[in-house]
Amino acid sequence: MVIPAPEAPPRHDGLAVHAGWYLAAGVVTTAAQFVLYFLLRAPLGAHGANLLAIIVTTIGNTEFHRRITFAGHDSPPRRRHVQILATIAFYAGYGSVVLLALHALVPEPSAVTETVVLATAGLLGGVCRFALLRWWVFAHRHPESRG
């Protein structure tokens, strides 16, 4: 008697499903990032707090997307590591430029002002990151194209 292999669970590849999970994770991650930033700003300064908050939340966020948002769309570990490092570098550089521009316009902005400006700037970065995750990092590839 041959027992048939269990069927793989259905994959949800739709843009709406991916965008929904990405948005949910983004809200949680952004809140965590800016709570960390706000708490670390006094001891580390604006740039140090921003960098540490970005590193911690980007690693957690990317792992969430790998396991939940884009489950079933494995990517090679090397690509994931490059993606995490590139994301950290992007957000760190982007956040630093945003903070430098804010400090040039407002000599001594409050922590709340910095947090709001970084969150607003992060929204645009998040849209770009979603596109990269969906169409590059976790893109569905045919088995014959994997190497």
Short mmCIF file of all heavy atoms in Angstrom, two decimals, residues 17-83:
data_model
loop_
_atom_site.label_atom_id
_atom_site.label_comp_id
_atom_site.label_asym_id
_atom_site.label_seq_id
_atom_site.Cartn_x
_atom_site.Cartn_y
_atom_site.Cartn_z
N VAL A 17 -1.74 40.04 0.05
CA VAL A 17 -1.33 39.26 1.22
C VAL A 17 0.05 39.72 1.68
O VAL A 17 0.28 39.98 2.87
CB VAL A 17 -1.34 37.75 0.91
CG1 VAL A 17 -0.72 36.95 2.06
CG2 VAL A 17 -2.75 37.28 0.64
N HIS A 18 0.98 39.81 0.74
CA HIS A 18 2.34 40.27 1.09
C HIS A 18 2.30 41.69 1.67
O HIS A 18 2.95 41.97 2.68
CB HIS A 18 3.25 40.23 -0.13
CG HIS A 18 3.64 38.85 -0.53
ND1 HIS A 18 4.25 38.58 -1.72
CD2 HIS A 18 3.51 37.65 0.09
CE1 HIS A 18 4.48 37.28 -1.82
NE2 HIS A 18 4.03 36.70 -0.73
N ALA A 19 1.55 42.56 1.04
CA ALA A 19 1.49 43.95 1.51
C ALA A 19 0.85 44.02 2.90
O ALA A 19 1.30 44.80 3.75
CB ALA A 19 0.71 44.81 0.51
N GLY A 20 -0.15 43.20 3.16
CA GLY A 20 -0.80 43.20 4.47
C GLY A 20 0.15 42.77 5.57
O GLY A 20 0.24 43.43 6.62
N TRP A 21 0.86 41.66 5.35
CA TRP A 21 1.83 41.21 6.35
C TRP A 21 2.95 42.23 6.50
O TRP A 21 3.43 42.49 7.61
CB TRP A 21 2.41 39.85 5.98
CG TRP A 21 1.54 38.70 6.37
CD1 TRP A 21 0.90 37.83 5.54
CD2 TRP A 21 1.20 38.30 7.70
NE1 TRP A 21 0.19 36.91 6.27
CE2 TRP A 21 0.36 37.17 7.60
CE3 TRP A 21 1.52 38.78 8.97
CZ2 TRP A 21 -0.15 36.52 8.72
CZ3 TRP A 21 1.01 38.13 10.09
CH2 TRP A 21 0.19 37.02 9.96
N TYR A 22 3.40 42.77 5.39
CA TYR A 22 4.49 43.76 5.44
C TYR A 22 4.06 44.98 6.25
O TYR A 22 4.82 45.49 7.08
CB TYR A 22 4.90 44.17 4.02
CG TYR A 22 6.10 45.07 4.01
CD1 TYR A 22 7.37 44.54 4.03
CD2 TYR A 22 5.96 46.45 3.99
CE1 TYR A 22 8.49 45.36 4.03
CE2 TYR A 22 7.06 47.28 4.00
CZ TYR A 22 8.32 46.73 4.01
OH TYR A 22 9.42 47.55 4.02
N LEU A 23 2.85 45.44 6.02
CA LEU A 23 2.34 46.61 6.74
C LEU A 23 2.22 46.31 8.23
O LEU A 23 2.62 47.13 9.07
CB LEU A 23 0.99 47.03 6.16
CG LEU A 23 0.35 48.25 6.79
CD1 LEU A 23 1.23 49.49 6.63
CD2 LEU A 23 -1.01 48.51 6.16
N ALA A 24 1.68 45.14 8.57
CA ALA A 24 1.54 44.78 9.98
C ALA A 24 2.90 44.72 10.67
O ALA A 24 3.09 45.28 11.75
CB ALA A 24 0.82 43.43 10.11
N ALA A 25 3.85 44.06 10.04
CA ALA A 25 5.21 43.98 10.60
C ALA A 25 5.85 45.36 10.65
O ALA A 25 6.56 45.69 11.61
CB ALA A 25 6.07 43.03 9.78
N GLY A 26 5.59 46.17 9.64
CA GLY A 26 6.16 47.51 9.59
C GLY A 26 5.67 48.39 10.73
O GLY A 26 6.45 49.15 11.32
N VAL A 27 4.40 48.27 11.06
CA VAL A 27 3.85 49.07 12.17
C VAL A 27 4.53 48.67 13.48
O VAL A 27 4.98 49.52 14.24
CB VAL A 27 2.31 48.89 12.25
CG1 VAL A 27 1.76 49.44 13.56
CG2 VAL A 27 1.64 49.55 11.06
N VAL A 28 4.62 47.37 13.73
CA VAL A 28 5.25 46.88 14.96
C VAL A 28 6.73 47.25 15.00
O VAL A 28 7.24 47.76 16.00
CB VAL A 28 5.06 45.35 15.10
CG1 VAL A 28 5.88 44.79 16.25
CG2 VAL A 28 3.58 45.03 15.29
N THR A 29 7.43 47.02 13.89
CA THR A 29 8.86 47.31 13.84
C THR A 29 9.13 48.80 13.97
O THR A 29 10.05 49.21 14.67
CB THR A 29 9.47 46.78 12.52
OG1 THR A 29 9.22 45.38 12.44
CG2 THR A 29 10.95 47.03 12.45
N THR A 30 8.34 49.62 13.29
CA THR A 30 8.54 51.07 13.36
C THR A 30 8.31 51.56 14.79
O THR A 30 9.08 52.38 15.30
CB THR A 30 7.60 51.80 12.38
OG1 THR A 30 7.92 51.35 11.06
CG2 THR A 30 7.77 53.30 12.45
N ALA A 31 7.27 51.05 15.42
CA ALA A 31 7.02 51.44 16.82
C ALA A 31 8.20 51.04 17.70
O ALA A 31 8.69 51.85 18.51
CB ALA A 31 5.73 50.80 17.32
N ALA A 32 8.68 49.81 17.54
CA ALA A 32 9.83 49.35 18.33
C ALA A 32 11.07 50.19 18.04
O ALA A 32 11.82 50.57 18.95
CB ALA A 32 10.11 47.88 18.04
N GLN A 33 11.29 50.49 16.75
CA GLN A 33 12.47 51.27 16.37
C GLN A 33 12.45 52.65 17.02
O GLN A 33 13.46 53.10 17.56
CB GLN A 33 12.54 51.41 14.86
CG GLN A 33 13.75 52.20 14.38
CD GLN A 33 13.81 52.27 12.87
OE1 GLN A 33 13.10 51.55 12.17
NE2 GLN A 33 14.64 53.14 12.36
N PHE A 34 11.32 53.29 17.01
CA PHE A 34 11.28 54.64 17.53
C PHE A 34 11.17 54.70 19.05
O PHE A 34 11.61 55.66 19.66
CB PHE A 34 10.26 55.48 16.78
CG PHE A 34 10.73 55.64 15.36
CD1 PHE A 34 10.11 54.99 14.32
CD2 PHE A 34 11.88 56.37 15.08
CE1 PHE A 34 10.60 55.10 13.02
CE2 PHE A 34 12.37 56.48 13.78
CZ PHE A 34 11.73 55.85 12.76
N VAL A 35 10.66 53.65 19.67
CA VAL A 35 10.74 53.56 21.14
C VAL A 35 12.21 53.39 21.54
O VAL A 35 12.70 54.07 22.44
CB VAL A 35 9.86 52.41 21.69
CG1 VAL A 35 10.21 52.09 23.14
CG2 VAL A 35 8.39 52.77 21.56
N LEU A 36 12.91 52.47 20.84
CA LEU A 36 14.35 52.30 21.11
C LEU A 36 15.10 53.61 20.89
O LEU A 36 15.94 54.00 21.70
CB LEU A 36 14.93 51.21 20.21
CG LEU A 36 14.69 49.78 20.63
CD1 LEU A 36 15.15 48.82 19.52
CD2 LEU A 36 15.41 49.46 21.92
N TYR A 37 14.81 54.26 19.76
CA TYR A 37 15.49 55.53 19.46
C TYR A 37 15.25 56.54 20.58
O TYR A 37 16.19 57.16 21.08
CB TYR A 37 14.99 56.11 18.13
CG TYR A 37 15.51 57.50 17.88
CD1 TYR A 37 16.79 57.68 17.39
CD2 TYR A 37 14.74 58.62 18.19
CE1 TYR A 37 17.29 58.96 17.20
CE2 TYR A 37 15.24 59.89 18.00
CZ TYR A 37 16.50 60.06 17.50
OH TYR A 37 17.01 61.32 17.34
N PHE A 38 14.01 56.69 20.96
CA PHE A 38 13.65 57.69 21.97
C PHE A 38 14.34 57.38 23.31
O PHE A 38 14.85 58.28 23.97
CB PHE A 38 12.13 57.72 22.13
CG PHE A 38 11.62 58.92 22.85
CD1 PHE A 38 11.57 60.16 22.22
CD2 PHE A 38 11.18 58.83 24.16
CE1 PHE A 38 11.10 61.29 22.88
CE2 PHE A 38 10.71 59.94 24.83
CZ PHE A 38 10.67 61.18 24.19
N LEU A 39 14.40 56.09 23.69
CA LEU A 39 15.03 55.70 24.95
C LEU A 39 16.55 55.82 24.90
O LEU A 39 17.19 56.11 25.91
CB LEU A 39 14.64 54.26 25.32
CG LEU A 39 13.17 54.03 25.66
CD1 LEU A 39 12.89 52.54 25.84
CD2 LEU A 39 12.78 54.82 26.90
N LEU A 40 17.15 55.57 23.73
CA LEU A 40 18.61 55.57 23.61
C LEU A 40 19.19 56.92 23.22
O LEU A 40 20.40 57.11 23.25
CB LEU A 40 19.04 54.51 22.59
CG LEU A 40 18.72 53.07 22.95
CD1 LEU A 40 19.01 52.15 21.77
CD2 LEU A 40 19.52 52.64 24.18
N ARG A 41 18.33 57.86 22.85
CA ARG A 41 18.81 59.15 22.35
C ARG A 41 19.65 59.90 23.37
O ARG A 41 20.72 60.43 23.05
CB ARG A 41 17.65 60.03 21.90
CG ARG A 41 18.10 61.35 21.31
CD ARG A 41 16.90 62.21 20.96
NE ARG A 41 17.31 63.49 20.44
CZ ARG A 41 17.59 64.56 21.19
NH1 ARG A 41 17.53 64.48 22.50
NH2 ARG A 41 17.94 65.69 20.61
N ALA A 42 19.21 59.95 24.61
CA ALA A 42 19.97 60.69 25.64
C ALA A 42 21.35 60.07 25.89
O ALA A 42 22.35 60.78 25.85
CB ALA A 42 19.16 60.78 26.93
N PRO A 43 21.44 58.75 26.10
CA PRO A 43 22.78 58.21 26.37
C PRO A 43 23.69 58.09 25.14
O PRO A 43 24.91 58.18 25.27
CB PRO A 43 22.51 56.83 26.97
CG PRO A 43 21.13 56.46 26.56
CD PRO A 43 20.40 57.75 26.36
N LEU A 44 23.12 57.89 23.95
CA LEU A 44 23.94 57.64 22.76
C LEU A 44 23.98 58.79 21.77
O LEU A 44 24.76 58.74 20.82
CB LEU A 44 23.45 56.38 22.04
CG LEU A 44 23.48 55.07 22.82
CD1 LEU A 44 22.93 53.93 21.98
CD2 LEU A 44 24.89 54.76 23.31
N GLY A 45 23.12 59.76 21.92
CA GLY A 45 23.01 60.82 20.92
C GLY A 45 22.10 60.38 19.80
O GLY A 45 21.77 59.19 19.68
N ALA A 46 21.70 61.32 18.96
CA ALA A 46 20.73 61.04 17.90
C ALA A 46 21.24 59.98 16.92
O ALA A 46 20.52 59.03 16.60
CB ALA A 46 20.38 62.33 17.15
N HIS A 47 22.46 60.13 16.44
CA HIS A 47 22.97 59.20 15.42
C HIS A 47 23.22 57.81 15.99
O HIS A 47 22.91 56.80 15.35
CB HIS A 47 24.21 59.77 14.75
CG HIS A 47 23.93 60.98 13.93
ND1 HIS A 47 23.39 60.93 12.69
CD2 HIS A 47 24.09 62.30 14.22
CE1 HIS A 47 23.22 62.15 12.21
NE2 HIS A 47 23.64 63.01 13.14
N GLY A 48 23.80 57.72 17.19
CA GLY A 48 24.05 56.42 17.80
C GLY A 48 22.76 55.68 18.11
O GLY A 48 22.65 54.47 17.87
N ALA A 49 21.79 56.39 18.66
CA ALA A 49 20.50 55.78 18.97
C ALA A 49 19.80 55.30 17.69
O ALA A 49 19.23 54.21 17.66
CB ALA A 49 19.61 56.78 19.70
N ASN A 50 19.86 56.12 16.65
CA ASN A 50 19.24 55.75 15.38
C ASN A 50 19.90 54.49 14.81
O ASN A 50 19.21 53.56 14.39
CB ASN A 50 19.34 56.91 14.39
CG ASN A 50 18.56 56.65 13.12
OD1 ASN A 50 17.41 56.24 13.17
ND2 ASN A 50 19.18 56.91 11.99
N LEU A 51 21.22 54.42 14.83
CA LEU A 51 21.94 53.26 14.29
C LEU A 51 21.61 51.99 15.06
O LEU A 51 21.30 50.96 14.46
CB LEU A 51 23.44 53.52 14.29
CG LEU A 51 24.31 52.39 13.75
CD1 LEU A 51 23.96 52.08 12.30
CD2 LEU A 51 25.78 52.74 13.88
N LEU A 52 21.66 52.04 16.36
CA LEU A 52 21.38 50.85 17.16
C LEU A 52 19.92 50.40 16.98
O LEU A 52 19.65 49.20 16.82
CB LEU A 52 21.69 51.10 18.63
CG LEU A 52 21.61 49.87 19.53
CD1 LEU A 52 22.53 48.75 19.02
CD2 LEU A 52 21.99 50.24 20.95
N ALA A 53 19.00 51.33 16.97
CA ALA A 53 17.59 50.98 16.77
C ALA A 53 17.37 50.35 15.40
O ALA A 53 16.61 49.38 15.26
CB ALA A 53 16.71 52.22 16.94
N ILE A 54 18.05 50.87 14.39
CA ILE A 54 17.94 50.32 13.03
C ILE A 54 18.49 48.90 12.97
O ILE A 54 17.87 48.00 12.40
CB ILE A 54 18.66 51.23 12.01
CG1 ILE A 54 17.84 52.49 11.77
CG2 ILE A 54 18.91 50.50 10.70
CD1 ILE A 54 18.59 53.56 11.01
N ILE A 55 19.64 48.68 13.56
CA ILE A 55 20.26 47.35 13.52
C ILE A 55 19.35 46.31 14.17
O ILE A 55 19.06 45.26 13.59
CB ILE A 55 21.65 47.37 14.19
CG1 ILE A 55 22.64 48.15 13.33
CG2 ILE A 55 22.17 45.95 14.43
CD1 ILE A 55 23.96 48.45 14.01
N VAL A 56 18.88 46.59 15.37
CA VAL A 56 18.05 45.63 16.11
C VAL A 56 16.76 45.34 15.36
O VAL A 56 16.38 44.17 15.16
CB VAL A 56 17.75 46.16 17.53
CG1 VAL A 56 16.69 45.32 18.22
CG2 VAL A 56 19.03 46.20 18.37
N THR A 57 16.06 46.37 14.94
CA THR A 57 14.75 46.16 14.32
C THR A 57 14.85 45.60 12.90
O THR A 57 13.98 44.84 12.48
CB THR A 57 13.90 47.45 14.33
OG1 THR A 57 14.61 48.49 13.67
CG2 THR A 57 13.57 47.85 15.76
N THR A 58 15.89 45.95 12.17
CA THR A 58 16.03 45.42 10.80
C THR A 58 16.27 43.92 10.81
O THR A 58 15.70 43.19 9.99
CB THR A 58 17.17 46.14 10.05
OG1 THR A 58 16.84 47.53 9.95
CG2 THR A 58 17.37 45.57 8.66
N ILE A 59 17.08 43.45 11.73
CA ILE A 59 17.33 42.01 11.81
C ILE A 59 16.03 41.28 12.15
O ILE A 59 15.67 40.29 11.50
CB ILE A 59 18.45 41.70 12.83
CG1 ILE A 59 19.78 42.22 12.28
CG2 ILE A 59 18.52 40.21 13.13
CD1 ILE A 59 20.92 42.22 13.29
N GLY A 60 15.31 41.75 13.16
CA GLY A 60 14.05 41.11 13.53
C GLY A 60 13.00 41.19 12.43
O GLY A 60 12.31 40.21 12.14
N ASN A 61 12.90 42.35 11.80
CA ASN A 61 11.92 42.56 10.74
C ASN A 61 12.20 41.66 9.54
O ASN A 61 11.28 41.05 8.98
CB ASN A 61 11.94 44.04 10.33
CG ASN A 61 10.91 44.36 9.28
OD1 ASN A 61 11.15 44.14 8.10
ND2 ASN A 61 9.78 44.89 9.70
N THR A 62 13.45 41.56 9.15
CA THR A 62 13.80 40.73 8.00
C THR A 62 13.52 39.26 8.28
O THR A 62 13.00 38.54 7.41
CB THR A 62 15.27 40.94 7.61
OG1 THR A 62 15.46 42.32 7.31
CG2 THR A 62 15.65 40.11 6.40
N GLU A 63 13.81 38.81 9.48
CA GLU A 63 13.53 37.41 9.83
C GLU A 63 12.02 37.16 9.82
O GLU A 63 11.57 36.12 9.35
CB GLU A 63 14.13 37.08 11.20
CG GLU A 63 14.03 35.62 11.55
CD GLU A 63 14.75 34.68 10.60
OE1 GLU A 63 15.66 35.12 9.86
OE2 GLU A 63 14.40 33.48 10.58
N PHE A 64 11.23 38.11 10.31
CA PHE A 64 9.78 37.98 10.26
C PHE A 64 9.31 37.83 8.81
O PHE A 64 8.50 36.95 8.49
CB PHE A 64 9.09 39.19 10.91
CG PHE A 64 7.59 39.14 10.79
CD1 PHE A 64 6.83 38.50 11.74
CD2 PHE A 64 6.94 39.73 9.70
CE1 PHE A 64 5.45 38.44 11.62
CE2 PHE A 64 5.57 39.68 9.58
CZ PHE A 64 4.81 39.03 10.55
N HIS A 65 9.82 38.68 7.95
CA HIS A 65 9.40 38.61 6.55
C HIS A 65 9.83 37.30 5.90
O HIS A 65 9.09 36.73 5.10
CB HIS A 65 9.95 39.80 5.75
CG HIS A 65 9.29 41.08 6.12
ND1 HIS A 65 7.93 41.25 6.19
CD2 HIS A 65 9.82 42.28 6.46
CE1 HIS A 65 7.64 42.47 6.54
NE2 HIS A 65 8.77 43.12 6.73
N ARG A 66 10.98 36.79 6.25
CA ARG A 66 11.45 35.52 5.70
C ARG A 66 10.53 34.39 6.13
O ARG A 66 10.18 33.53 5.32
CB ARG A 66 12.89 35.23 6.15
CG ARG A 66 13.47 33.98 5.51
CD ARG A 66 14.88 33.72 5.99
NE ARG A 66 14.94 33.15 7.31
CZ ARG A 66 14.67 31.88 7.61
NH1 ARG A 66 14.30 31.04 6.66
NH2 ARG A 66 14.78 31.43 8.83
N ARG A 67 10.12 34.39 7.38
CA ARG A 67 9.32 33.28 7.91
C ARG A 67 7.82 33.43 7.67
O ARG A 67 7.12 32.42 7.54
CB ARG A 67 9.56 33.13 9.41
CG ARG A 67 10.93 32.66 9.73
CD ARG A 67 11.13 32.60 11.24
NE ARG A 67 12.48 32.22 11.53
CZ ARG A 67 12.81 31.18 12.26
NH1 ARG A 67 11.87 30.41 12.76
NH2 ARG A 67 14.07 30.90 12.49
N ILE A 68 7.30 34.65 7.64
CA ILE A 68 5.85 34.85 7.58
C ILE A 68 5.42 35.49 6.26
O ILE A 68 4.69 34.89 5.48
CB ILE A 68 5.36 35.73 8.76
CG1 ILE A 68 5.80 35.15 10.11
CG2 ILE A 68 3.85 35.94 8.68
CD1 ILE A 68 5.20 33.81 10.46
N THR A 69 5.85 36.72 6.02
CA THR A 69 5.36 37.46 4.86
C THR A 69 5.65 36.74 3.55
O THR A 69 4.77 36.61 2.71
CB THR A 69 5.98 38.87 4.82
OG1 THR A 69 5.77 39.51 6.07
CG2 THR A 69 5.38 39.71 3.70
N PHE A 70 6.88 36.29 3.38
CA PHE A 70 7.27 35.65 2.13
C PHE A 70 7.61 34.18 2.35
O PHE A 70 8.50 33.64 1.70
CB PHE A 70 8.46 36.40 1.52
CG PHE A 70 8.15 37.85 1.23
CD1 PHE A 70 8.65 38.86 2.04
CD2 PHE A 70 7.35 38.20 0.16
CE1 PHE A 70 8.36 40.19 1.79
CE2 PHE A 70 7.05 39.53 -0.09
CZ PHE A 70 7.56 40.52 0.73
N ALA A 71 6.90 33.52 3.27
CA ALA A 71 7.13 32.10 3.56
C ALA A 71 7.01 31.29 2.27
O ALA A 71 6.12 31.52 1.46
CB ALA A 71 6.13 31.60 4.60
N GLY A 72 7.90 30.35 2.12
CA GLY A 72 7.87 29.52 0.92
C GLY A 72 8.68 30.11 -0.22
O GLY A 72 8.83 29.50 -1.26
N HIS A 73 9.22 31.29 -0.04
CA HIS A 73 10.05 31.94 -1.05
C HIS A 73 11.47 32.02 -0.50
O HIS A 73 11.96 33.09 -0.19
CB HIS A 73 9.56 33.36 -1.35
CG HIS A 73 8.22 33.40 -2.02
ND1 HIS A 73 8.08 33.42 -3.38
CD2 HIS A 73 6.97 33.40 -1.51
CE1 HIS A 73 6.79 33.45 -3.67
NE2 HIS A 73 6.10 33.44 -2.55
N ASP A 74 12.07 30.88 -0.33
CA ASP A 74 13.42 30.88 0.23
C ASP A 74 14.38 31.63 -0.67
O ASP A 74 14.24 31.65 -1.89
CB ASP A 74 13.93 29.46 0.42
CG ASP A 74 13.34 28.81 1.66
OD1 ASP A 74 12.90 29.55 2.55
OD2 ASP A 74 13.33 27.57 1.72
N SER A 75 15.33 32.23 -0.02
CA SER A 75 16.42 32.86 -0.75
C SER A 75 17.71 32.31 -0.16
O SER A 75 17.72 31.91 1.01
CB SER A 75 16.36 34.38 -0.63
OG SER A 75 16.54 34.78 0.72
N PRO A 76 18.76 32.28 -0.94
CA PRO A 76 20.02 31.76 -0.42
C PRO A 76 20.47 32.58 0.79
O PRO A 76 20.29 33.81 0.83
CB PRO A 76 20.99 31.95 -1.58
CG PRO A 76 20.13 32.07 -2.79
CD PRO A 76 18.85 32.69 -2.33
N PRO A 77 21.05 31.91 1.81
CA PRO A 77 21.48 32.62 3.01
C PRO A 77 22.40 33.79 2.71
O PRO A 77 22.28 34.85 3.33
CB PRO A 77 22.22 31.56 3.82
CG PRO A 77 21.64 30.26 3.35
CD PRO A 77 21.29 30.48 1.91
N ARG A 78 23.29 33.65 1.76
CA ARG A 78 24.21 34.74 1.42
C ARG A 78 23.44 35.96 0.95
O ARG A 78 23.73 37.09 1.34
CB ARG A 78 25.20 34.27 0.35
CG ARG A 78 26.26 35.26 0.04
CD ARG A 78 27.30 34.74 -0.93
NE ARG A 78 26.80 33.63 -1.73
CZ ARG A 78 27.53 32.64 -2.20
NH1 ARG A 78 28.81 32.60 -1.96
NH2 ARG A 78 27.01 31.68 -2.92
N ARG A 79 22.41 35.74 0.15
CA ARG A 79 21.59 36.86 -0.34
C ARG A 79 20.86 37.52 0.83
O ARG A 79 20.77 38.74 0.89
CB ARG A 79 20.57 36.40 -1.37
CG ARG A 79 19.75 37.59 -1.90
CD ARG A 79 18.66 37.23 -2.86
NE ARG A 79 19.21 36.60 -4.02
CZ ARG A 79 18.50 35.95 -4.91
NH1 ARG A 79 17.19 35.86 -4.78
NH2 ARG A 79 19.05 35.37 -5.95
N ARG A 80 20.34 36.72 1.77
CA ARG A 80 19.66 37.29 2.93
C ARG A 80 20.61 38.14 3.75
O ARG A 80 20.25 39.23 4.21
CB ARG A 80 19.06 36.18 3.80
CG ARG A 80 17.79 35.60 3.23
CD ARG A 80 17.01 34.81 4.25
NE ARG A 80 17.79 33.83 4.99
CZ ARG A 80 17.94 32.56 4.63
NH1 ARG A 80 17.39 32.12 3.52
NH2 ARG A 80 18.63 31.73 5.37
N HIS A 81 21.83 37.66 3.96
CA HIS A 81 22.80 38.43 4.74
C HIS A 81 23.17 39.73 4.05
O HIS A 81 23.27 40.78 4.69
CB HIS A 81 24.04 37.60 5.03
CG HIS A 81 23.78 36.40 5.89
ND1 HIS A 81 23.06 36.45 7.07
CD2 HIS A 81 24.11 35.10 5.72
CE1 HIS A 81 22.99 35.24 7.59
NE2 HIS A 81 23.60 34.40 6.78
N VAL A 82 23.35 39.67 2.75
CA VAL A 82 23.65 40.88 1.98
C VAL A 82 22.47 41.85 2.07
O VAL A 82 22.65 43.05 2.25
CB VAL A 82 23.99 40.55 0.51
CG1 VAL A 82 23.99 41.79 -0.37
CG2 VAL A 82 25.33 39.83 0.42
N GLN A 83 21.26 41.30 1.98
CA GLN A 83 20.06 42.14 2.06
C GLN A 83 19.98 42.82 3.41
O GLN A 83 19.68 44.02 3.49
CB GLN A 83 18.82 41.30 1.79
CG GLN A 83 17.55 42.10 1.66
CD GLN A 83 16.81 42.27 2.97
OE1 GLN A 83 16.93 41.46 3.89
NE2 GLN A 83 16.06 43.34 3.08
#
